[in-house]
Amino acid sequence: MSLIKIKSAPIDKLTENVRLALQSAIDEKAKSFGFSGGNALMLYAGFTNPFQALAQQFAAWEVSVWLEAEAYKQEVIAGNKPMLTGEQAVALMPEYPA
């Protein structure tokens, strides 16, 4: 009798799916403010303009999303937490400040 080995997806492919889902959610939040995406909104953060405060708040929130995602990824790699789907990761994103 032979055993069939099922090759699991590499961590890079799984984390890329999560990254894409998080980026999509970030861009959707920026679109809710009337911008084409997160990067477009953050362009306003570095100089005086009517959108600067919004852009700085958005940028700080986006950074918090990526910091938490990286910390969770390290826990997955260490074997302490399960790998999430993109949808699960989006559900765990830090809330946008009110």
Side-chain angles (χ1 to χ4, degrees), residues 41-80:
L41 174 51
M42 288 188 297
L43 289 173
Y44 292 89
F47 60 96
T48 303
N49 68 83
F51 305 109
Q52 185 177 28
L54 173 63
Q56 288 174 341
Q57 178 175 309
F58 184 87
W61 170 73
E62 182 172 344
V63 166
S64 74
V65 170
W66 293 121
L67 289 175
E68 285 195 23
E70 181 59 29
Y72 193 97
K73 177 183 174 183
Q74 294 308 315
E75 291 288 331
V76 170
I77 291 169
N80 298 327

Side-chain angles (χ1 to χ4, degrees), residues 7-67:
K7 189 176 182 180
S8 62
I11 189 76
D12 290 343
K13 181 173 172 79
L14 295 171
T15 57
E16 179 63 7
N17 292 336
V18 168
R19 188 194 70 75
L20 291 172
L22 292 172
Q23 187 62 59
S24 179
I26 289 166
D27 287 336
E28 287 304 312
K29 186 63 178 175
K31 288 175 185 177
S32 77
F33 295 120
F35 294 85
S36 61
N39 289 342
L41 174 51
M42 288 188 297
L43 289 173
Y44 292 89
F47 60 96
T48 303
N49 68 83
F51 305 109
Q52 185 177 28
L54 173 63
Q56 288 174 341
Q57 178 175 309
F58 184 87
W61 170 73
E62 182 172 344
V63 166
S64 74
V65 170
W66 293 121
L67 289 175

